[in-house]
Amino acid sequence: MVEVTSAPNPGHTTSWYAASANTKTVRTALQGDQDADICIIGAGFTGLSAALELAQKGFSVIVLEGERVGFGASGRNGGQIVNGYSRDLHTIARRYGAQKAAELGAMSLEGGQIIRERVAKYGIDCDLVDGGFFAAFTPKQMTEMAANKANWEKHGHTGLEMVSEAEVGTYVKSDRYAGGMIDRFGGHIHPLNYVLGEADAIERLGGRIFENSRVIAVEQGTNPVVRTAHGKVAAKYVLVCGNAYLGGLLPEIGERMMPVSSQVMATEPLDAALIEELLPANYCVEDANYILDYYRRTSDNRLLYGGGIGYGGTDPADLTSVIRPNMLKTFPQLQNTKIDFAWSGNFALTLTRIPHIGRLSPNVYFSHGDSGHGVTTTQLLGRILGEVVAGHAQRFDVWSSLPNYPFPGGKTFRVPLTMLGAWWYGLRDRLGV
């Protein structure tokens, strides 16, 4: 079980994850000139998944992180292992054809498998628990879930099971839901401790990770060079994995994603009998609304509850003002429960809601825009970046061939236009249509 301590965790947000991290040691910043086979920008899920894949293959790897390992969404998210992508395989087939849906479907469970493989192989202590529950509010959402289940099964997913309204209490003690679906291949983790475990494994394999080493320039060419304020890395290949925290470093990437914030909070530790009553199977839960809520138990018996959305990366003045009312709709018995932690984090959204992975030049590759589905997708795409650098481009080519577009209206209008679309879908959720 994790332990929350009063010891500071410099550079991290004030989250339950940061307070209960397995290690709070700060790594050194890059100084002077360094050389490596591969330089990776960003020590989050994508960057460290790629780094570990490459370190296992014997490549020399340097990872540059502008803040701390897991500083961004990788260390702040809900910690839910949700299989698949932000758009279902029906949508992928309709947009890109049956062949692309089959190819992406064949990879759609791999992200969760990678997490479990690495937890076992490297002894990563991250509170891994199996099982996820998708909660439906309406018969329409139940019908959509059943259709998704049938389509998933065509792509080899055998862990899904529909749940009737009478059976909801097996997973969630709430009267809000009309039923749902369980995913036995889903689950949940302490995401910051997972990414810290990956970082430790990389270093044990000879990789080097520098924190507080924000990249200020990438010189592309035959022998690319990555520069920070106090040093540089000359490498054969560069992998850009900054996602929503990349900033203005590479506008050709930034124009095709938008930072979006999500808010999360964690209650005080609850009585063991109470948390067992609320979530008896210890599955993680997310509902089926367009702007959804997600929640789960933690290893120290807190309820971790997330939701809300801020396009452009904006947050409400009071982080709990959005989440706590929804938590109480789900679990009114927590009316007098204290909230110990509240935080937010940005994820990268693409216009298509499909990750954008590609190359900027022959030696510079990137992946971003997991669009709220990053816990598993980043593991897969990090591995695929490692594959293409090692000379195996087949799966990379599948992803990089998918069209991706800048947001209409550019940076000025992308937020209001996206908010308008979200309002429409949110209205449909409320009306049940």
Side-chain angles (χ1 to χ4, degrees), residues 82-89 91-92 95 104 108 148 152 286 289-290 292 309 347-355 369-374 376-377 399:
V82 179
N83 293 298
Y85 314 112
S86 189
R87 288 296 175 264
D88 59 49
L89 294 170
T91 301
I92 290 170
R95 286 184 186 172
L104 268 61
S108 57
N148 283 333
W152 268 109
E286 70 170 55
N289 278 347
Y290 183 78
L292 55 84
I309 200 162
F347 63 88
L349 189 76
T350 65
L351 184 64
T352 63
R353 294 349 185 230
I354 298 294
D370 301 283
S371 301
H373 241 272
T376 54
T377 310
W399 281 95

PDB file of all heavy atoms in Angstrom, residues 82-89 91-92 95 104 108 148 152 286 289-290 292 309 347-355 369-374 376-377 399:
ATOM      1  N   VAL A  82      -7.853   1.572 -19.574  1.00  0.00           N
ATOM      2  CA  VAL A  82      -9.027   1.475 -20.446  1.00  0.00           C
ATOM      3  C   VAL A  82      -8.534   1.081 -21.829  1.00  0.00           C
ATOM      4  O   VAL A  82      -7.759   1.803 -22.452  1.00  0.00           O
ATOM      5  CB  VAL A  82      -9.794   2.803 -20.503  1.00  0.00           C
ATOM      6  CG1 VAL A  82     -11.000   2.682 -21.432  1.00  0.00           C
ATOM      7  CG2 VAL A  82     -10.242   3.222 -19.104  1.00  0.00           C
ATOM      8  N   ASN A  83      -8.953  -0.060 -22.304  1.00  0.00           N
ATOM      9  CA  ASN A  83      -8.464  -0.571 -23.582  1.00  0.00           C
ATOM     10  C   ASN A  83      -9.069   0.181 -24.755  1.00  0.00           C
ATOM     11  O   ASN A  83     -10.141   0.774 -24.656  1.00  0.00           O
ATOM     12  CB  ASN A  83      -8.768  -2.068 -23.694  1.00  0.00           C
ATOM     13  CG  ASN A  83      -7.975  -2.882 -22.694  1.00  0.00           C
ATOM     14  OD1 ASN A  83      -6.758  -2.906 -22.727  1.00  0.00           O
ATOM     15  ND2 ASN A  83      -8.672  -3.546 -21.770  1.00  0.00           N
ATOM     16  N   GLY A  84      -8.372   0.124 -25.876  1.00  0.00           N
ATOM     17  CA  GLY A  84      -8.872   0.772 -27.076  1.00  0.00           C
ATOM     18  C   GLY A  84      -8.420   2.205 -27.192  1.00  0.00           C
ATOM     19  O   GLY A  84      -7.432   2.624 -26.590  1.00  0.00           O
ATOM     20  N   TYR A  85      -9.176   2.974 -27.964  1.00  0.00           N
ATOM     21  CA  TYR A  85      -8.798   4.339 -28.310  1.00  0.00           C
ATOM     22  C   TYR A  85      -9.942   5.286 -27.974  1.00  0.00           C
ATOM     23  O   TYR A  85     -11.023   4.862 -27.576  1.00  0.00           O
ATOM     24  CB  TYR A  85      -8.438   4.423 -29.794  1.00  0.00           C
ATOM     25  CG  TYR A  85      -7.523   3.286 -30.232  1.00  0.00           C
ATOM     26  CD1 TYR A  85      -7.973   2.292 -31.108  1.00  0.00           C
ATOM     27  CD2 TYR A  85      -6.230   3.177 -29.734  1.00  0.00           C
ATOM     28  CE1 TYR A  85      -7.151   1.244 -31.489  1.00  0.00           C
ATOM     29  CE2 TYR A  85      -5.397   2.126 -30.104  1.00  0.00           C
ATOM     30  CZ  TYR A  85      -5.864   1.160 -30.982  1.00  0.00           C
ATOM     31  OH  TYR A  85      -5.044   0.116 -31.332  1.00  0.00           O
ATOM     32  N   SER A  86      -9.698   6.571 -28.159  1.00  0.00           N
ATOM     33  CA  SER A  86     -10.725   7.552 -27.830  1.00  0.00           C
ATOM     34  C   SER A  86     -11.914   7.500 -28.780  1.00  0.00           C
ATOM     35  O   SER A  86     -12.970   8.036 -28.465  1.00  0.00           O
ATOM     36  CB  SER A  86     -10.118   8.958 -27.831  1.00  0.00           C
ATOM     37  OG  SER A  86     -11.023   9.905 -27.323  1.00  0.00           O
ATOM     38  N   ARG A  87     -11.739   6.892 -29.928  1.00  0.00           N
ATOM     39  CA  ARG A  87     -12.853   6.621 -30.838  1.00  0.00           C
ATOM     40  C   ARG A  87     -12.946   5.118 -31.050  1.00  0.00           C
ATOM     41  O   ARG A  87     -11.932   4.443 -31.195  1.00  0.00           O
ATOM     42  CB  ARG A  87     -12.665   7.341 -32.172  1.00  0.00           C
ATOM     43  CG  ARG A  87     -12.871   8.853 -32.066  1.00  0.00           C
ATOM     44  CD  ARG A  87     -14.310   9.159 -31.682  1.00  0.00           C
ATOM     45  NE  ARG A  87     -14.554  10.577 -31.450  1.00  0.00           N
ATOM     46  CZ  ARG A  87     -14.528  11.155 -30.246  1.00  0.00           C
ATOM     47  NH1 ARG A  87     -14.219  10.430 -29.182  1.00  0.00           N
ATOM     48  NH2 ARG A  87     -14.813  12.428 -30.097  1.00  0.00           N
ATOM     49  N   ASP A  88     -14.188   4.587 -31.054  1.00  0.00           N
ATOM     50  CA  ASP A  88     -14.369   3.136 -31.116  1.00  0.00           C
ATOM     51  C   ASP A  88     -14.037   2.610 -32.509  1.00  0.00           C
ATOM     52  O   ASP A  88     -13.852   3.365 -33.471  1.00  0.00           O
ATOM     53  CB  ASP A  88     -15.785   2.750 -30.693  1.00  0.00           C
ATOM     54  CG  ASP A  88     -16.860   3.386 -31.570  1.00  0.00           C
ATOM     55  OD1 ASP A  88     -16.745   3.301 -32.804  1.00  0.00           O
ATOM     56  OD2 ASP A  88     -17.817   3.967 -31.013  1.00  0.00           O
ATOM     57  N   LEU A  89     -13.947   1.300 -32.609  1.00  0.00           N
ATOM     58  CA  LEU A  89     -13.535   0.672 -33.858  1.00  0.00           C
ATOM     59  C   LEU A  89     -14.586   0.821 -34.959  1.00  0.00           C
ATOM     60  O   LEU A  89     -14.253   0.781 -36.150  1.00  0.00           O
ATOM     61  CB  LEU A  89     -13.205  -0.795 -33.615  1.00  0.00           C
ATOM     62  CG  LEU A  89     -11.977  -1.022 -32.718  1.00  0.00           C
ATOM     63  CD1 LEU A  89     -11.856  -2.488 -32.321  1.00  0.00           C
ATOM     64  CD2 LEU A  89     -10.702  -0.540 -33.395  1.00  0.00           C
ATOM     65  N   THR A  91     -16.179   3.657 -35.507  1.00  0.00           N
ATOM     66  CA  THR A  91     -15.844   4.969 -36.062  1.00  0.00           C
ATOM     67  C   THR A  91     -14.581   4.893 -36.902  1.00  0.00           C
ATOM     68  O   THR A  91     -14.495   5.486 -37.991  1.00  0.00           O
ATOM     69  CB  THR A  91     -15.673   5.991 -34.926  1.00  0.00           C
ATOM     70  OG1 THR A  91     -16.886   6.058 -34.172  1.00  0.00           O
ATOM     71  CG2 THR A  91     -15.328   7.366 -35.464  1.00  0.00           C
ATOM     72  N   ILE A  92     -13.596   4.157 -36.405  1.00  0.00           N
ATOM     73  CA  ILE A  92     -12.341   4.013 -37.146  1.00  0.00           C
ATOM     74  C   ILE A  92     -12.592   3.342 -38.497  1.00  0.00           C
ATOM     75  O   ILE A  92     -12.056   3.758 -39.524  1.00  0.00           O
ATOM     76  CB  ILE A  92     -11.323   3.229 -36.293  1.00  0.00           C
ATOM     77  CG1 ILE A  92     -10.875   4.106 -35.106  1.00  0.00           C
ATOM     78  CG2 ILE A  92     -10.118   2.791 -37.119  1.00  0.00           C
ATOM     79  CD1 ILE A  92     -10.070   3.366 -34.060  1.00  0.00           C
ATOM     80  N   ARG A  95     -14.336   5.820 -40.887  1.00  0.00           N
ATOM     81  CA  ARG A  95     -13.460   6.888 -41.375  1.00  0.00           C
ATOM     82  C   ARG A  95     -12.351   6.384 -42.296  1.00  0.00           C
ATOM     83  O   ARG A  95     -12.059   6.995 -43.322  1.00  0.00           O
ATOM     84  CB  ARG A  95     -12.787   7.586 -40.178  1.00  0.00           C
ATOM     85  CG  ARG A  95     -13.646   8.490 -39.367  1.00  0.00           C
ATOM     86  CD  ARG A  95     -12.762   9.127 -38.310  1.00  0.00           C
ATOM     87  NE  ARG A  95     -13.519   9.928 -37.369  1.00  0.00           N
ATOM     88  CZ  ARG A  95     -12.976  10.454 -36.263  1.00  0.00           C
ATOM     89  NH1 ARG A  95     -11.699  10.246 -35.999  1.00  0.00           N
ATOM     90  NH2 ARG A  95     -13.707  11.180 -35.444  1.00  0.00           N
ATOM     91  N   LEU A 104      -5.698  -1.573 -36.408  1.00  0.00           N
ATOM     92  CA  LEU A 104      -5.718  -0.921 -35.099  1.00  0.00           C
ATOM     93  C   LEU A 104      -6.382  -1.805 -34.054  1.00  0.00           C
ATOM     94  O   LEU A 104      -5.978  -1.822 -32.888  1.00  0.00           O
ATOM     95  CB  LEU A 104      -6.416   0.436 -35.187  1.00  0.00           C
ATOM     96  CG  LEU A 104      -5.494   1.639 -35.454  1.00  0.00           C
ATOM     97  CD1 LEU A 104      -4.774   1.512 -36.780  1.00  0.00           C
ATOM     98  CD2 LEU A 104      -6.267   2.950 -35.383  1.00  0.00           C
ATOM     99  N   SER A 108      -5.221  -3.094 -30.129  1.00  0.00           N
ATOM    100  CA  SER A 108      -5.983  -2.297 -29.178  1.00  0.00           C
ATOM    101  C   SER A 108      -5.904  -2.773 -27.729  1.00  0.00           C
ATOM    102  O   SER A 108      -6.248  -2.024 -26.818  1.00  0.00           O
ATOM    103  CB  SER A 108      -7.450  -2.242 -29.617  1.00  0.00           C
ATOM    104  OG  SER A 108      -7.990  -3.540 -29.745  1.00  0.00           O
ATOM    105  N   ASN A 148     -20.774  -2.055 -29.249  1.00  0.00           N
ATOM    106  CA  ASN A 148     -19.315  -1.979 -29.130  1.00  0.00           C
ATOM    107  C   ASN A 148     -18.724  -3.309 -28.680  1.00  0.00           C
ATOM    108  O   ASN A 148     -17.665  -3.731 -29.151  1.00  0.00           O
ATOM    109  CB  ASN A 148     -18.914  -0.870 -28.162  1.00  0.00           C
ATOM    110  CG  ASN A 148     -19.018   0.508 -28.793  1.00  0.00           C
ATOM    111  OD1 ASN A 148     -18.906   0.655 -30.005  1.00  0.00           O
ATOM    112  ND2 ASN A 148     -19.243   1.516 -27.978  1.00  0.00           N
ATOM    113  N   TRP A 152     -15.932  -5.305 -30.633  1.00  0.00           N
ATOM    114  CA  TRP A 152     -14.679  -5.656 -29.959  1.00  0.00           C
ATOM    115  C   TRP A 152     -14.381  -7.146 -30.122  1.00  0.00           C
ATOM    116  O   TRP A 152     -13.237  -7.542 -30.371  1.00  0.00           O
ATOM    117  CB  TRP A 152     -14.798  -5.345 -28.468  1.00  0.00           C
ATOM    118  CG  TRP A 152     -14.333  -3.994 -28.026  1.00  0.00           C
ATOM    119  CD1 TRP A 152     -15.106  -2.946 -27.606  1.00  0.00           C
ATOM    120  CD2 TRP A 152     -12.982  -3.536 -27.902  1.00  0.00           C
ATOM    121  NE1 TRP A 152     -14.316  -1.882 -27.252  1.00  0.00           N
ATOM    122  CE2 TRP A 152     -13.013  -2.221 -27.419  1.00  0.00           C
ATOM    123  CE3 TRP A 152     -11.746  -4.136 -28.151  1.00  0.00           C
ATOM    124  CZ2 TRP A 152     -11.863  -1.487 -27.182  1.00  0.00           C
ATOM    125  CZ3 TRP A 152     -10.593  -3.401 -27.918  1.00  0.00           C
ATOM    126  CH2 TRP A 152     -10.655  -2.101 -27.447  1.00  0.00           C
ATOM    127  N   GLU A 286     -15.859   4.233 -15.247  1.00  0.00           N
ATOM    128  CA  GLU A 286     -16.092   5.469 -15.991  1.00  0.00           C
ATOM    129  C   GLU A 286     -17.479   5.395 -16.586  1.00  0.00           C
ATOM    130  O   GLU A 286     -17.957   4.306 -16.940  1.00  0.00           O
ATOM    131  CB  GLU A 286     -15.047   5.709 -17.077  1.00  0.00           C
ATOM    132  CG  GLU A 286     -15.085   4.781 -18.267  1.00  0.00           C
ATOM    133  CD  GLU A 286     -14.166   5.248 -19.391  1.00  0.00           C
ATOM    134  OE1 GLU A 286     -12.964   5.453 -19.152  1.00  0.00           O
ATOM    135  OE2 GLU A 286     -14.669   5.399 -20.525  1.00  0.00           O
ATOM    136  N   ASN A 289     -21.060   9.074 -20.596  1.00  0.00           N
ATOM    137  CA  ASN A 289     -21.380  10.394 -21.117  1.00  0.00           C
ATOM    138  C   ASN A 289     -20.232  10.948 -21.959  1.00  0.00           C
ATOM    139  O   ASN A 289     -19.081  10.536 -21.819  1.00  0.00           O
ATOM    140  CB  ASN A 289     -21.687  11.359 -19.974  1.00  0.00           C
ATOM    141  CG  ASN A 289     -23.115  11.214 -19.475  1.00  0.00           C
ATOM    142  OD1 ASN A 289     -23.955  10.579 -20.125  1.00  0.00           O
ATOM    143  ND2 ASN A 289     -23.401  11.799 -18.332  1.00  0.00           N
ATOM    144  N   TYR A 290     -20.545  11.938 -22.802  1.00  0.00           N
ATOM    145  CA  TYR A 290     -19.532  12.559 -23.647  1.00  0.00           C
ATOM    146  C   TYR A 290     -18.467  13.226 -22.769  1.00  0.00           C
ATOM    147  O   TYR A 290     -17.274  13.040 -22.980  1.00  0.00           O
ATOM    148  CB  TYR A 290     -20.187  13.577 -24.577  1.00  0.00           C
ATOM    149  CG  TYR A 290     -19.219  14.227 -25.533  1.00  0.00           C
ATOM    150  CD1 TYR A 290     -18.786  13.555 -26.673  1.00  0.00           C
ATOM    151  CD2 TYR A 290     -18.740  15.509 -25.307  1.00  0.00           C
ATOM    152  CE1 TYR A 290     -17.896  14.136 -27.558  1.00  0.00           C
ATOM    153  CE2 TYR A 290     -17.848  16.108 -26.186  1.00  0.00           C
ATOM    154  CZ  TYR A 290     -17.427  15.416 -27.307  1.00  0.00           C
ATOM    155  OH  TYR A 290     -16.533  16.004 -28.173  1.00  0.00           O
ATOM    156  N   LEU A 292     -17.313  12.761 -19.350  1.00  0.00           N
ATOM    157  CA  LEU A 292     -17.574  11.673 -18.410  1.00  0.00           C
ATOM    158  C   LEU A 292     -16.930  11.894 -17.042  1.00  0.00           C
ATOM    159  O   LEU A 292     -16.019  12.709 -16.884  1.00  0.00           O
ATOM    160  CB  LEU A 292     -17.096  10.352 -19.018  1.00  0.00           C
ATOM    161  CG  LEU A 292     -15.632  10.257 -19.484  1.00  0.00           C
ATOM    162  CD1 LEU A 292     -14.703   9.920 -18.339  1.00  0.00           C
ATOM    163  CD2 LEU A 292     -15.503   9.217 -20.588  1.00  0.00           C
ATOM    164  N   ILE A 309     -13.863  19.284 -17.609  1.00  0.00           N
ATOM    165  CA  ILE A 309     -12.994  19.452 -18.765  1.00  0.00           C
ATOM    166  C   ILE A 309     -12.791  20.935 -19.007  1.00  0.00           C
ATOM    167  O   ILE A 309     -13.711  21.745 -18.819  1.00  0.00           O
ATOM    168  CB  ILE A 309     -13.607  18.756 -20.004  1.00  0.00           C
ATOM    169  CG1 ILE A 309     -12.548  18.476 -21.056  1.00  0.00           C
ATOM    170  CG2 ILE A 309     -14.771  19.525 -20.576  1.00  0.00           C
ATOM    171  CD1 ILE A 309     -12.969  17.433 -22.068  1.00  0.00           C
ATOM    172  N   PHE A 347      -4.212  17.023 -20.923  1.00  0.00           N
ATOM    173  CA  PHE A 347      -3.918  16.018 -21.939  1.00  0.00           C
ATOM    174  C   PHE A 347      -4.044  16.680 -23.310  1.00  0.00           C
ATOM    175  O   PHE A 347      -4.602  17.779 -23.438  1.00  0.00           O
ATOM    176  CB  PHE A 347      -4.825  14.788 -21.814  1.00  0.00           C
ATOM    177  CG  PHE A 347      -6.300  15.050 -22.016  1.00  0.00           C
ATOM    178  CD1 PHE A 347      -6.874  15.001 -23.276  1.00  0.00           C
ATOM    179  CD2 PHE A 347      -7.130  15.304 -20.919  1.00  0.00           C
ATOM    180  CE1 PHE A 347      -8.222  15.229 -23.462  1.00  0.00           C
ATOM    181  CE2 PHE A 347      -8.488  15.534 -21.091  1.00  0.00           C
ATOM    182  CZ  PHE A 347      -9.032  15.499 -22.365  1.00  0.00           C
ATOM    183  N   ALA A 348      -3.497  16.040 -24.341  1.00  0.00           N
ATOM    184  CA  ALA A 348      -3.495  16.601 -25.686  1.00  0.00           C
ATOM    185  C   ALA A 348      -4.624  16.011 -26.507  1.00  0.00           C
ATOM    186  O   ALA A 348      -4.747  14.792 -26.626  1.00  0.00           O
ATOM    187  CB  ALA A 348      -2.153  16.343 -26.365  1.00  0.00           C
ATOM    188  N   LEU A 349      -5.443  16.874 -27.071  1.00  0.00           N
ATOM    189  CA  LEU A 349      -6.591  16.487 -27.883  1.00  0.00           C
ATOM    190  C   LEU A 349      -6.282  16.773 -29.351  1.00  0.00           C
ATOM    191  O   LEU A 349      -5.738  17.826 -29.688  1.00  0.00           O
ATOM    192  CB  LEU A 349      -7.814  17.298 -27.457  1.00  0.00           C
ATOM    193  CG  LEU A 349      -9.173  16.921 -28.034  1.00  0.00           C
ATOM    194  CD1 LEU A 349      -9.708  15.673 -27.348  1.00  0.00           C
ATOM    195  CD2 LEU A 349     -10.161  18.080 -27.837  1.00  0.00           C
ATOM    196  N   THR A 350      -6.596  15.835 -30.233  1.00  0.00           N
ATOM    197  CA  THR A 350      -6.518  16.080 -31.668  1.00  0.00           C
ATOM    198  C   THR A 350      -7.919  16.316 -32.214  1.00  0.00           C
ATOM    199  O   THR A 350      -8.919  15.944 -31.582  1.00  0.00           O
ATOM    200  CB  THR A 350      -5.876  14.908 -32.427  1.00  0.00           C
ATOM    201  OG1 THR A 350      -6.732  13.761 -32.317  1.00  0.00           O
ATOM    202  CG2 THR A 350      -4.496  14.581 -31.879  1.00  0.00           C
ATOM    203  N   LEU A 351      -7.995  16.901 -33.390  1.00  0.00           N
ATOM    204  CA  LEU A 351      -9.299  17.165 -33.988  1.00  0.00           C
ATOM    205  C   LEU A 351     -10.035  15.861 -34.266  1.00  0.00           C
ATOM    206  O   LEU A 351     -11.256  15.776 -34.092  1.00  0.00           O
ATOM    207  CB  LEU A 351      -9.123  17.957 -35.290  1.00  0.00           C
ATOM    208  CG  LEU A 351     -10.400  18.404 -35.982  1.00  0.00           C
ATOM    209  CD1 LEU A 351     -11.182  19.386 -35.115  1.00  0.00           C
ATOM    210  CD2 LEU A 351     -10.088  19.041 -37.332  1.00  0.00           C
ATOM    211  N   THR A 352      -9.314  14.829 -34.675  1.00  0.00           N
ATOM    212  CA  THR A 352      -9.934  13.535 -34.983  1.00  0.00           C
ATOM    213  C   THR A 352     -10.164  12.674 -33.758  1.00  0.00           C
ATOM    214  O   THR A 352     -10.836  11.651 -33.827  1.00  0.00           O
ATOM    215  CB  THR A 352      -9.058  12.744 -35.958  1.00  0.00           C
ATOM    216  OG1 THR A 352      -7.795  12.467 -35.331  1.00  0.00           O
ATOM    217  CG2 THR A 352      -8.830  13.512 -37.248  1.00  0.00           C
ATOM    218  N   ARG A 353      -9.585  13.074 -32.627  1.00  0.00           N
ATOM    219  CA  ARG A 353      -9.580  12.283 -31.371  1.00  0.00           C
ATOM    220  C   ARG A 353      -8.804  10.977 -31.537  1.00  0.00           C
ATOM    221  O   ARG A 353      -8.932  10.058 -30.731  1.00  0.00           O
ATOM    222  CB  ARG A 353     -10.979  11.960 -30.879  1.00  0.00           C
ATOM    223  CG  ARG A 353     -11.902  13.070 -30.396  1.00  0.00           C
ATOM    224  CD  ARG A 353     -11.345  14.398 -30.178  1.00  0.00           C
ATOM    225  NE  ARG A 353     -12.325  15.336 -29.607  1.00  0.00           N
ATOM    226  CZ  ARG A 353     -12.561  16.544 -30.092  1.00  0.00           C
ATOM    227  NH1 ARG A 353     -11.900  16.967 -31.164  1.00  0.00           N
ATOM    228  NH2 ARG A 353     -13.427  17.345 -29.505  1.00  0.00           N
ATOM    229  N   ILE A 354      -7.987  10.892 -32.578  1.00  0.00           N
ATOM    230  CA  ILE A 354      -7.113   9.748 -32.816  1.00  0.00           C
ATOM    231  C   ILE A 354      -5.674  10.231 -32.643  1.00  0.00           C
ATOM    232  O   ILE A 354      -5.326  11.324 -33.093  1.00  0.00           O
ATOM    233  CB  ILE A 354      -7.312   9.185 -34.243  1.00  0.00           C
ATOM    234  CG1 ILE A 354      -8.745   8.676 -34.434  1.00  0.00           C
ATOM    235  CG2 ILE A 354      -6.307   8.076 -34.538  1.00  0.00           C
ATOM    236  CD1 ILE A 354      -9.121   7.484 -33.590  1.00  0.00           C
ATOM    237  N   PRO A 355      -4.807   9.460 -31.975  1.00  0.00           N
ATOM    238  CA  PRO A 355      -3.423   9.902 -31.789  1.00  0.00           C
ATOM    239  C   PRO A 355      -2.743  10.236 -33.114  1.00  0.00           C
ATOM    240  O   PRO A 355      -3.029   9.635 -34.154  1.00  0.00           O
ATOM    241  CB  PRO A 355      -2.758   8.701 -31.105  1.00  0.00           C
ATOM    242  CG  PRO A 355      -3.867   7.975 -30.441  1.00  0.00           C
ATOM    243  CD  PRO A 355      -5.058   8.159 -31.328  1.00  0.00           C
ATOM    244  N   GLY A 369      -1.330  13.426 -28.732  1.00  0.00           N
ATOM    245  CA  GLY A 369      -2.759  13.506 -28.982  1.00  0.00           C
ATOM    246  C   GLY A 369      -3.550  12.248 -28.687  1.00  0.00           C
ATOM    247  O   GLY A 369      -4.431  11.869 -29.462  1.00  0.00           O
ATOM    248  N   ASP A 370      -3.291  11.615 -27.547  1.00  0.00           N
ATOM    249  CA  ASP A 370      -4.047  10.410 -27.193  1.00  0.00           C
ATOM    250  C   ASP A 370      -5.478  10.717 -26.783  1.00  0.00           C
ATOM    251  O   ASP A 370      -6.277   9.801 -26.587  1.00  0.00           O
ATOM    252  CB  ASP A 370      -3.309   9.662 -26.083  1.00  0.00           C
ATOM    253  CG  ASP A 370      -1.904   9.286 -26.524  1.00  0.00           C
ATOM    254  OD1 ASP A 370      -1.761   8.324 -27.283  1.00  0.00           O
ATOM    255  OD2 ASP A 370      -0.943   9.991 -26.144  1.00  0.00           O
ATOM    256  N   SER A 371      -5.790  11.991 -26.626  1.00  0.00           N
ATOM    257  CA  SER A 371      -7.172  12.478 -26.527  1.00  0.00           C
ATOM    258  C   SER A 371      -7.963  11.869 -25.379  1.00  0.00           C
ATOM    259  O   SER A 371      -9.123  11.484 -25.526  1.00  0.00           O
ATOM    260  CB  SER A 371      -7.895  12.269 -27.873  1.00  0.00           C
ATOM    261  OG  SER A 371      -7.225  12.953 -28.916  1.00  0.00           O
ATOM    262  N   GLY A 372      -7.316  11.788 -24.215  1.00  0.00           N
ATOM    263  CA  GLY A 372      -7.992  11.299 -23.025  1.00  0.00           C
ATOM    264  C   GLY A 372      -7.931   9.799 -22.833  1.00  0.00           C
ATOM    265  O   GLY A 372      -8.488   9.275 -21.866  1.00  0.00           O
ATOM    266  N   HIS A 373      -7.234   9.103 -23.717  1.00  0.00           N
ATOM    267  CA  HIS A 373      -7.117   7.643 -23.638  1.00  0.00           C
ATOM    268  C   HIS A 373      -5.667   7.231 -23.479  1.00  0.00           C
ATOM    269  O   HIS A 373      -5.254   6.174 -23.965  1.00  0.00           O
ATOM    270  CB  HIS A 373      -7.695   7.008 -24.911  1.00  0.00           C
ATOM    271  CG  HIS A 373      -8.854   6.103 -24.669  1.00  0.00           C
ATOM    272  ND1 HIS A 373      -8.723   4.756 -24.393  1.00  0.00           N
ATOM    273  CD2 HIS A 373     -10.171   6.344 -24.650  1.00  0.00           C
ATOM    274  CE1 HIS A 373      -9.913   4.218 -24.235  1.00  0.00           C
ATOM    275  NE2 HIS A 373     -10.816   5.150 -24.386  1.00  0.00           N
ATOM    276  N   GLY A 374      -4.883   8.056 -22.773  1.00  0.00           N
ATOM    277  CA  GLY A 374      -3.441   7.913 -22.848  1.00  0.00           C
ATOM    278  C   GLY A 374      -2.805   6.819 -22.019  1.00  0.00           C
ATOM    279  O   GLY A 374      -1.695   6.401 -22.330  1.00  0.00           O
ATOM    280  N   THR A 376      -3.168   3.650 -21.715  1.00  0.00           N
ATOM    281  CA  THR A 376      -2.799   2.461 -22.487  1.00  0.00           C
ATOM    282  C   THR A 376      -2.210   2.807 -23.850  1.00  0.00           C
ATOM    283  O   THR A 376      -1.231   2.197 -24.276  1.00  0.00           O
ATOM    284  CB  THR A 376      -4.019   1.538 -22.684  1.00  0.00           C
ATOM    285  OG1 THR A 376      -5.093   2.297 -23.264  1.00  0.00           O
ATOM    286  CG2 THR A 376      -4.459   0.939 -21.371  1.00  0.00           C
ATOM    287  N   THR A 377      -2.793   3.796 -24.537  1.00  0.00           N
ATOM    288  CA  THR A 377      -2.350   4.095 -25.897  1.00  0.00           C
ATOM    289  C   THR A 377      -0.901   4.550 -25.926  1.00  0.00           C
ATOM    290  O   THR A 377      -0.148   4.211 -26.846  1.00  0.00           O
ATOM    291  CB  THR A 377      -3.262   5.162 -26.533  1.00  0.00           C
ATOM    292  OG1 THR A 377      -4.621   4.781 -26.372  1.00  0.00           O
ATOM    293  CG2 THR A 377      -2.968   5.304 -28.013  1.00  0.00           C
ATOM    294  N   TRP A 399      -0.101   3.716 -38.333  1.00  0.00           N
ATOM    295  CA  TRP A 399      -0.552   4.891 -37.591  1.00  0.00           C
ATOM    296  C   TRP A 399      -0.248   6.189 -38.327  1.00  0.00           C
ATOM    297  O   TRP A 399      -1.097   7.088 -38.384  1.00  0.00           O
ATOM    298  CB  TRP A 399       0.102   4.907 -36.204  1.00  0.00           C
ATOM    299  CG  TRP A 399      -0.560   3.987 -35.247  1.00  0.00           C
ATOM    300  CD1 TRP A 399      -0.208   2.704 -34.948  1.00  0.00           C
ATOM    301  CD2 TRP A 399      -1.711   4.267 -34.450  1.00  0.00           C
ATOM    302  NE1 TRP A 399      -1.068   2.175 -34.021  1.00  0.00           N
ATOM    303  CE2 TRP A 399      -2.000   3.113 -33.693  1.00  0.00           C
ATOM    304  CE3 TRP A 399      -2.520   5.386 -34.297  1.00  0.00           C
ATOM    305  CZ2 TRP A 399      -3.062   3.051 -32.811  1.00  0.00           C
ATOM    306  CZ3 TRP A 399      -3.592   5.328 -33.409  1.00  0.00           C
ATOM    307  CH2 TRP A 399      -3.856   4.163 -32.681  1.00  0.00           C
TER     308      TRP A 399
END
